[in-house]
């Protein structure tokens, strides 16, 4: 039954429940104020005076109510109104709504005089309480075990024995005071992330305050497990209750031990969420032997414009490793990513990954072993511009590459490119070869410096060796690096046309012209005093121009074989795609072109050709004439089979029998010997709904090998210009071959770790994220953590990979390597999971890097044990931590790794 209106008569009335409660109506206060009538006489001497009452309006002097919106309430059993006390009593499955607030309980008392609500459950004859209050205010929900009092004008409340959820956590207190802004004060309360009625763990404190959208603060607290108090606790607690993108706070450290720097306290610092656009993470590392480190990781974004991140890591190594050779040096790493949103015709982007050469050889990352074996670093800062209404565009790049193993550093400062898109000047001509004719132009200017120093004199100087050396990339050597700079420009003009030949063939004719511009070239002369060829540099502008032409033709053949009868195999289709191409370019090493020089090489008078532009940034003109015919043949074999279906017509599906089988070779008519190139073969297929994939590739040499016994009794082998079938050596010699077999099995077609990593990466990028080391570490942590990605409903998952490599040299030396990799997981119970990653190297007869992990789902906690039993990265770690994202630092962890020893 529903009561509508506010009544003030000094009497009481009681109404019993009717057969069907009427539709509730809105509570509307009656308007007792009526604007007074205005009877202004038509003629009066007072009209000459200003009438101030004309400006008054009863609507403007009408009193306003504290009630801002409609009030609705309902009770299933009965509603009693006490007009003397101005109260309403709601019984059985009652509710009260006011704006975003809703209160449900078996008994609700509405005090109109004080604008208060009083709610509690009903107790039966056996002492059982039912219909306890359930209170919702905006996004906050309160499950009340006893009673509550709420002022719907001030939005303040006093609640007895309540449970409420704050972000990922649950708060419970014997008495709670709620303020107007949603903050709550708890007396003798606890905090937990376990959603069970009897939580597995909680933090207990006599005083807790929750500030909405900011944090939860507690006084002295103790940590409880399954209701049992522990000695673990702190004088105060601070738990963030802020959206993740706006939370600033302290970053708690981890501990460990290194052999060189001793005991460590890592990653202690603070996270700064300055605003919605810039965040920064500043941490420090401290070591017992005197070393230290500072890290800064920042992220920035501007909606619809750009986003990026900047990371800096500086480490100071100080350690009295030995009295004679103490450790004292610095190492650093810099990372910067900047990605713009597609906007306008200009685009600036950056991807910087640089640092000292020894960084990855000294900084141990226990969570990402890949960093410890990284061999190359690269960076690129670019700006591109498209000129609207024209076919032209330009780009400028600053590039950096660095080898950690060799110490070689190269920097392009800058690289400038100007491009003209393909243009079709005869697109309106009906003759197809001219209609499809297109031309383009590409210009590339580069200026490069490197610490790999070329020798200035002596092409084959025995003192310096044939290979250039490297010097440290330091400020002191910067002048020498600049003098050793390499620069030049390259122009490329590609010309091509597509057309149909003989109805079933597609032809492509193309010609490419390349011109190189250099500011220097080399001249060579024989030095009889040293009996070697020396080189001198000649400064001045010079050009290198060369061209290549080609004509290609391809077509497609299809063969079908249909099977009769009602068998599952219906049809087999064979697709053959042959390709023929002819390439021509003259011998630009001819001295007539001026790009090569013929020089006496030794005292016997042997003549050798040397390139005048050898080692320059864009290389030299191609050596040797080419009139080569290239032949390629691609094969695909598929089958169509019936599948079980309820349809009367029957359904079919295609399955691959041979996804590809390719054969490629070439014949150079201009070569004086070895005209036929080796045959390149490759094949790929899969089985069992692509659960098993097989890849095979190899190279077949058609030329024979001749053996000769020398005077010292040894045998020499050399490749001769005669085919193997003419010498009885078969159809050819397999010089190299490889076999890769990969398989992934599980009973429910679940995802393997590689698929999970790809899915997480793509999902992160699709949401506008920027990949950096922090993100990669987090993705790797999730993939490596079984509780994060393993589907506990899948009893097992197995992934296998086998690699076989074969190589045969001309002297009949054979090298065979093979390895097997196995990974997977196994559920031994509903809450226990074992995962593993191992392998076997058949060449060295050793087990490869092995990891065994155990995962235990503890409901609100999770336990992970990872063990690497042997090898370079021998280690183990045990983690027991809360699943909630806001309490990731609340964990019991013990770690001992290879860097602890």
């Amino acid at each position: 039954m529903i009561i509508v209106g506010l009544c003030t008569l000094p009497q009481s009335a009681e109404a019993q429940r009717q057969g069907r409660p009427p539709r509730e109506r809105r509570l509307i206060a009656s308007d007792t104020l009526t604007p007074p009538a205005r009877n202004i006489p038509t003629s009066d001497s007072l009209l000459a005076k200003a009438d101030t009452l004309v400006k008054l309006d009863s609507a403007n002097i009408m009193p306003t109510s504290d009630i801002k919106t409609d009030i609705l309430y309902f009770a299933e059993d009965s509603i009693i109104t006490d007009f003397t006390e101005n109260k309403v009593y709601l019984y059985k499955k009652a509710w009260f709504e006011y704006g975003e607030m809703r209160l449900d309980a078996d008994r609700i008392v509405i005090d109109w005089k004080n604008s208060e609500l009083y709610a509690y459950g009903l107790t039966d004859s056996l002492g059982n309480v039912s219909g306890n209050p359930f209170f919702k205010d905006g996004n906050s929900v309160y499950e009340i075990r006893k009673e509550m009092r709420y002022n719907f004008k001030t939005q303040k409340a006093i609640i007895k024995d309540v449970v409420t959820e704050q972000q990922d956590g649950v708060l419970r207190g014997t008495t709670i005071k709620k303020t107007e802004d949603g903050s709550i004060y708890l007396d003798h309360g606890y905090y937990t992330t376990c959603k069970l009625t009897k939580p597995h763990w909680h933090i207990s404190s006599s005083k807790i305050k929750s500030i909405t959208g900011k944090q939860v603060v507690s006084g002295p607290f103790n940590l409880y497990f399954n209701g049992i108090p522990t000695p673990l606790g702190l004088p105060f607690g601070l738990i963030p209750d802020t959206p993740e993108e706006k939370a600033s706070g302290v970053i708690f450290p981890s501990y460990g031990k290194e052999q060189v720097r001793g005991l460590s306290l890592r990653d202690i610092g603070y996270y700064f969420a300055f605003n919605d656009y810039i965040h920064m993470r500043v941490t420090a590392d401290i070591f017992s032997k005197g070393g230290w480190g500072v890290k800064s990781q920042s992220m920035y974004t501007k909606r619809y414009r750009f986003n990026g991140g900047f990371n800096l890591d500086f480490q100071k190594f100080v350690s009295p490793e030995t009295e004679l050779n103490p450790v004292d040096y610095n190492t650093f790493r810099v990372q910067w990513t900047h990605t713009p949103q597609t906007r306008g015709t200009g685009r600036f982007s950056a991807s910087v990954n640089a640092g000292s050469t020894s960084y990855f050889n000294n900084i141990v990352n226990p969570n990402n072993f890949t960093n410890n074996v990284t061999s190359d670093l690269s960076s690129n800062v670019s700006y591109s511009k498209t000129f609207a209404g024209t076919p032209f565009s330009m780009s400028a790049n600053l590039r950096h590459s660095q080898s950690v193993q060799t110490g070689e550093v190269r920097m392009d400062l800058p690289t400038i490119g100007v491009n003209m898109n393909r243009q079709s000047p005869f697109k309106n001509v009906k003759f197809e070869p001219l209609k499809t004719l297109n031309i383009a132009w590409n210009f590339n200017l580069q200026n490069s410096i490197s610490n790999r120093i070329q020798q200035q004199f002596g092409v084959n100087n025995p003192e310096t060796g044939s290979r250039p050396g490297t010097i440290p990339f330091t400020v002191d050597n910067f002048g020498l690096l600049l003098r050793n700079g390499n620069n030049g420009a390259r122009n490329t003009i590609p010309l091509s046309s597509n057309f149909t030949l003989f109805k079933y063939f597609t032809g492509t004719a193309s010609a490419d012209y390349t011109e190189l511009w250099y500011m220097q070239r080399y001249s060579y002369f024989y030095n009889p005093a040293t009996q070697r060829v020396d080189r001198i540099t000649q400064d001045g502008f010079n050009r290198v121009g060369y061209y290549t032409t080609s004509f290609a033709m391809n077509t497609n053949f299809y063969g079908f074989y249909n099977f009769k009868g009602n068998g599952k195999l219906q049809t087999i289709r064979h697709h053959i795609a042959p390709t023929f191409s002819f390439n021509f370019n003259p011998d630009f090493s001819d001295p007539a072109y001026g790009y090569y020089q013929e020089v006496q090489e030794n005292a016997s008078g042997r003549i050798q050709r040397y390139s005048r532009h050898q080692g320059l940034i864009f290389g030299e003109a191609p050596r040797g004439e080419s009139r080569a015919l290239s032949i390629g043949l691609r094969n695909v074999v598929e089958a169509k089979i019936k599948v079980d279906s309820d349809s009367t017509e029957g359904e079919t599906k295609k399955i691959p029998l041979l996804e590809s089988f390719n054969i490629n070779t070439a014949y150079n008519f201009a070569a004086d010997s070895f005209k036929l190139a080796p045959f390149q073969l490759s094949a790929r297929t899969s089985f069992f709904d692509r659960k098993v994939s097989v890849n095979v590739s190899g190279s077949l040499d058609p030329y024979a090998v001749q053996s000769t016994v020398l005077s010292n009794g040894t045998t020499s082998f050399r490749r001769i210009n005669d085919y193997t079938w003419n010498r009885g050596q078969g159809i050819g010699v397999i010089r190299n071959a490889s076999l890769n077999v990969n398989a992934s099995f599980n009973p429910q077609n679940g995802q393997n770790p590689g698929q999970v990593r790809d899915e997480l990466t793509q999902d992160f990028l699709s949401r506008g994220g920027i990949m950096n080391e922090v993100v990669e570490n987090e993705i790797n942590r999730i993939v490596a953590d079984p509780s994060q990605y393993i589907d506990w409903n899948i009893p097992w998952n197995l992934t296998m990979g086998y690699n076989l490599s074969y190589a045969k040299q001309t002297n009949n030396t054979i090298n065979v390597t093979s390895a097997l990799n196995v990974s997977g997981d196994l559920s031994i119970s509903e809450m226990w999971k074992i995962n593993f990653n191992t392998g076997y190297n058949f060449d060295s007869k050793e087990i490869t890097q092995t990891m065994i992990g155990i995962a235990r789902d503890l409901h609100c906690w999770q336990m992970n044990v990872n063990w690497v039993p042997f090898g370079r990265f021998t280690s183990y770690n045990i983690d027991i931590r809360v699943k909630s994202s806001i309490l990731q630092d609340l964990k019991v962890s013990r770690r001992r790794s290879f860097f602890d020893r």
Side-chain angles (χ1 to χ4, degrees):
M1 189 173 183
I2 298 177
I3 298 298
V4 183
L6 295 174
C7 300
T8 56
L9 296 176
Q11 52 183 310
S12 65
E14 181 176 340
Q16 297 298 327
R17 183 183 60 182
Q18 299 179 358
R20 181 179 181 182
R23 179 183 178 89
E24 59 265 24
R25 291 175 293 174
R26 295 182 178 178
L27 184 67
I28 302 175
S30 59
D31 189 358
T32 58
L33 297 177
T34 303
R38 298 178 180 177
N39 298 320
I40 302 176
T42 56
S43 62
D44 197 324
S45 59
L46 293 176
L47 290 176
K49 298 181 180 180
D51 190 355
T52 58
L53 293 177
V54 176
K55 297 181 182 180
L56 298 178
D57 191 344
S58 61
N60 293 332
I61 63 175
M62 185 180 297
T64 59
S65 172
D66 292 329
I67 299 176
K68 304 298 183 182
T69 186
D70 298 337
I71 295 177
L72 303 175
Y73 57 89
F74 171 79
E76 183 180 277
D77 184 271
S78 59
I79 296 177
I80 301 175
T81 301
D82 186 342
F83 294 105
T84 303
E85 298 294 333
N86 204 6
K87 293 181 178 180
V88 178
Y89 300 87
L90 312 179
Y91 291 91
K92 198 65 176 177
K93 295 183 179 179
W95 53 262
F96 180 95
E97 283 188 0
Y98 175 63
E100 295 184 350
M101 184 275 291
R102 180 184 173 101
L103 174 64
D104 292 80
D106 266 7
R107 186 167 183 180
I108 300 176
V109 179
I110 307 173
D111 186 348
W112 297 115
K113 181 178 180 181
N114 297 315
S115 300
E116 289 184 353
L117 299 175
Y118 180 70
Y120 53 93
L122 296 178
T123 305
D124 59 17
S125 59
L126 298 178
N128 298 321
V129 180
S130 62
N132 283 324
F134 187 84
F135 180 63
K136 183 177 183 297
D137 189 7
N139 295 325
S140 300
V141 177
Y142 303 84
E143 184 180 345
I144 303 165
R145 307 294 173 85
K146 290 186 179 180
E147 60 186 33
M148 77 163 291
R149 190 173 66 188
Y150 176 77
N151 189 304
F152 51 83
K153 284 173 51 178
T154 63
Q155 298 183 13
K156 296 180 180 180
I158 299 292
I159 310 173
K160 300 290 186 180
D161 194 0
V162 64
V163 178
T164 180
E165 186 172 350
Q166 302 288 322
Q167 198 173 331
D168 288 345
V170 175
L171 283 167
R172 181 173 181 178
T174 56
T175 303
I176 285 184
K177 179 181 178 182
K178 175 187 173 298
T179 61
E180 183 177 359
D181 62 357
S183 300
I184 58 177
Y185 298 81
L186 288 84
D187 178 47
H188 292 88
Y190 72 67
Y191 181 89
T192 182
T193 57
C194 184
K195 303 300 178 65
L196 297 180
T197 305
K198 294 183 178 180
H200 291 109
W201 75 276
H202 67 271
I203 293 172
S204 179
S205 176
S206 60
K207 295 181 180 180
I208 299 178
K209 178 181 180 181
S210 174
I211 305 173
T212 303
K214 292 185 178 180
Q215 57 201 9
V216 177
V217 183
S218 76
F221 69 87
N222 281 92
L223 186 63
Y224 282 67
F225 288 100
N226 288 327
I228 302 174
T230 69
L232 301 177
L234 288 173
F236 67 93
L238 186 65
I239 303 171
D241 184 24
T242 309
E244 187 175 345
E245 66 274 9
K246 296 183 179 180
S248 296
V250 177
I251 300 173
F252 292 91
S254 61
Y255 67 93
K257 183 181 179 181
E258 291 186 20
Q259 183 178 0
V260 176
R261 297 194 283 181
L263 296 173
S264 64
L265 198 64
R266 296 172 176 268
D267 295 328
I268 180 173
Y270 197 83
Y271 187 92
F272 299 91
F274 296 109
N275 48 45
D276 293 339
Y277 309 105
I278 302 177
H279 288 200
M280 178 179 288
R281 183 179 187 264
V282 179
T283 58
D285 303 335
I286 304 174
F287 299 88
S288 61
K289 293 185 179 181
W292 53 272
V294 178
K295 303 175 186 176
S296 173
Q297 298 172 323
S298 59
M299 294 176 290
Y300 58 87
T301 182
K302 186 173 179 59
R303 184 175 296 181
Y304 309 125
R305 298 298 296 271
F306 56 80
N307 51 43
F310 183 83
N311 301 333
L312 176 64
D313 186 0
F314 177 85
Q315 296 288 330
K316 176 73 173 179
F317 278 74
V318 177
S319 177
E321 192 168 290
T322 62
E323 294 182 0
L324 299 178
N325 187 25
V327 176
D328 188 358
Y329 60 89
N330 304 328
T331 185
F332 72 94
R333 185 185 184 186
V334 178
Q335 292 177 291
W336 177 35
T337 59
H338 179 88
T339 304
Q341 301 292 328
T342 302
R343 182 188 179 98
T345 58
R347 176 184 174 89
F348 174 81
S349 63
S351 176
V352 176
N353 185 13
S356 54
T357 304
S358 61
Y359 180 88
F360 291 110
N361 297 327
N362 295 285
I363 304 302
V364 179
N365 187 342
N367 297 319
N368 190 353
F369 297 139
T370 305
N371 276 347
N372 299 326
V373 295
T374 297
S375 58
D376 295 298
L377 302 175
S378 61
S379 306
N380 184 26
V381 179
S382 66
Y383 174 79
S384 60
K385 173 72 174 179
T386 300
F387 299 96
T390 72
F392 295 96
S393 62
M394 63 84 64
S395 63
N397 296 271
L398 303 178
R399 292 190 177 96
H400 150 270
S401 62
Q402 179 179 349
S403 173
V404 175
Q405 295 179 347
T406 64
E408 182 179 351
V409 179
R410 171 175 170 168
M411 301 182 70
D412 294 336
L413 305 171
T415 297
I416 299 176
V418 180
N419 304 299
M420 182 186 75
N421 296 333
R422 290 185 177 271
Q423 301 296 304
S424 301
F426 307 106
K427 59 183 177 180
N428 296 324
V429 178
K430 294 183 179 181
F431 184 56
E432 188 176 10
L434 282 178
K435 182 177 182 179
T436 59
L437 181 68
N438 57 75
I439 185 172
W441 172 63
N442 302 304
F443 174 79
N444 194 353
L445 174 67
Q446 286 191 20
N447 179 39
S448 174
I449 61 174
S450 173
N451 64 342
R452 192 174 180 86
I453 302 299
Q454 300 279 352
Q455 57 186 15
Q456 297 299 319
F457 300 97
V459 176
N460 53 353
N461 191 335
E463 296 180 358
T464 60
S466 59
R467 294 183 178 180
T470 59
I471 62 173
F473 201 96
T474 60
V475 177
D476 296 336
N477 294 329
F478 199 69
L480 178 59
L481 295 174
L482 290 178
R483 289 192 298 272
N484 192 56
N486 202 346
N487 53 67
R490 178 175 59 192
N491 296 269
T492 305
I493 303 177
L495 187 70
S496 65
S497 176
N498 302 316
F499 44 87
T500 302
L501 289 173
F502 313 115
K503 190 177 180 180
Y504 299 107
F505 294 86
T506 301
T508 302
S510 64
D512 294 336
Y513 176 76
T514 302
E515 185 168 297
L516 309 178
W517 295 345
Y518 293 124
M519 298 303 296
Q520 63 183 12
R521 72 172 186 173
Y522 301 127
S523 291
Y524 304 90
F525 65 93
Y526 177 70
N527 190 337
T530 58
Q531 295 187 356
R532 71 180 186 187
V533 176
D534 282 344
R535 182 184 71 187
I536 60 175
T537 302
Q538 295 178 336
D539 294 329
F541 176 80
N542 63 97
R543 50 172 292 278
V544 179
Y546 57 91
Y547 62 89
T548 61
T549 61
S550 67
F551 175 79
M553 186 172 62
N554 59 78
T555 188
N556 293 281
F557 296 96
Y558 295 91
F560 296 88
Y561 185 83
N562 298 317
F563 291 86
K564 298 179 180 180
N566 297 322
K568 294 193 66 174
L569 185 59
Q570 298 290 298
T571 305
I572 291 180
R573 187 185 78 160
H574 184 196
H575 176 205
I576 304 176
T579 302
F580 305 91
S581 64
F582 183 80
N583 306 292
F584 169 76
N585 63 266
D587 182 10
F588 290 99
S589 66
D590 190 325
Y593 289 97
Y595 306 143
Y596 286 78
Q597 181 182 357
E598 292 185 345
V599 182
Q600 178 182 341
E601 191 177 45
N602 51 34
S604 63
R606 180 183 176 185
I607 302 299
Q608 182 71 25
R609 289 182 180 179
Y610 288 88
S611 171
R612 292 180 176 271
H613 308 92
Q614 182 179 2
L616 296 185
I617 194 165
F618 290 111
E620 59 213 36
R623 183 194 298 262
E625 182 183 2
S626 174
R627 284 182 280 126
L629 174 65
S630 300
I631 302 174
L633 192 66
R634 180 174 180 266
N635 297 267
V636 177
V637 181
E638 296 176 319
K640 182 183 291 186
I641 63 172
K642 282 184 178 181
V643 295
D644 296 334
S645 174
D646 296 334
S647 175
T648 57
E649 298 179 357
E651 296 181 0
T652 61
K653 72 172 183 178
K654 290 192 301 183
I655 61 171
L657 299 180
L658 193 61
E659 294 182 1
S660 69
F661 176 52
N662 303 324
I663 304 175
N664 296 277
T665 187
Y667 190 88
N668 189 354
F669 296 93
D672 56 357
S673 61
F674 302 107
K675 296 184 177 183
L676 182 62
F679 291 87
Q680 304 295 329
L681 301 98
S682 64
R684 174 172 53 90
T685 190
S686 60
F687 307 96
F688 311 114
D689 290 333
R690 302 185 183 273
K691 291 183 180 295
V692 179
S693 62
V694 180
N695 293 271
V696 181
S697 63
S699 176
L700 188 68
D701 186 0
Y703 289 97
V705 175
Q706 185 180 58
S707 61
T708 304
V709 179
L710 303 179
S711 58
N712 57 5
T714 61
T715 303
S716 67
F717 300 87
R718 70 184 184 92
R719 191 165 173 253
I720 61 175
N721 188 30
D722 195 6
Y723 298 117
T724 55
W725 49 84
N726 295 334
R727 294 297 183 106
Q729 298 180 10
I731 61 173
V733 179
I734 299 177
R735 290 299 175 195
N736 55 71
S738 64
L739 169 66
N740 299 316
V741 181
N742 296 286
S744 180
F745 301 99
N746 60 66
Q748 298 181 17
N749 295 324
Q751 291 180 312
N752 58 46
Q755 292 171 328
V756 173
R757 179 182 287 104
D758 294 340
E759 181 180 334
L760 291 173
T761 303
Q762 291 300 323
D763 178 68
F764 178 77
L765 294 175
S766 66
R767 291 185 283 109
I770 302 299
M771 294 299 297
N772 53 42
E773 184 182 8
V774 178
V775 177
E776 291 178 357
N777 288 341
E778 183 66 12
I779 291 177
N780 290 331
R781 182 189 68 80
I782 294 174
V783 173
D785 185 352
S787 63
Q788 296 288 337
Y789 80 88
I790 285 182
D791 189 346
W792 294 83
N793 296 321
I794 296 179
W796 57 270
N797 182 67
L798 179 65
T799 301
M800 303 176 62
Y802 176 74
N803 301 312
L804 173 66
S805 178
Y806 169 89
K808 185 177 182 180
Q809 304 297 327
T810 305
N811 59 3
N812 291 333
T813 301
I814 298 176
N815 182 26
V816 179
T817 60
S818 60
L820 175 67
N821 298 316
V822 182
S823 63
D825 54 76
L826 173 67
S827 295
I828 57 179
S829 71
E830 185 180 355
M831 296 296 181
W832 285 93
K833 199 92 168 178
I834 295 178
N835 63 94
F836 59 91
N837 191 329
T838 186
Y840 185 79
N841 190 319
F842 294 92
D843 187 36
S844 61
K845 298 181 180 180
E846 294 180 349
I847 298 177
T848 59
Q849 189 69 62
T850 299
M851 187 278 292
I852 300 174
I854 300 176
R856 175 67 165 94
D857 188 353
L858 301 174
H859 185 254
C860 53
W861 291 69
Q862 60 189 28
M863 181 185 72
N864 298 290
V865 179
N866 294 315
W867 177 38
V868 179
F870 51 81
R872 178 186 175 189
F873 301 113
T874 300
S875 62
Y876 72 86
N877 65 76
I878 303 173
D879 269 346
I880 304 176
R881 63 174 179 269
V882 180
K883 286 185 178 179
S884 170
S885 61
I886 62 175
L887 288 181
Q888 289 181 356
D889 292 309
L890 180 61
K891 58 185 176 182
V892 180
S893 179
R894 167 61 178 158
R895 184 188 303 272
R896 187 177 188 274
S897 303
F898 66 94
F899 63 93
D900 290 334
R901 297 181 299 175

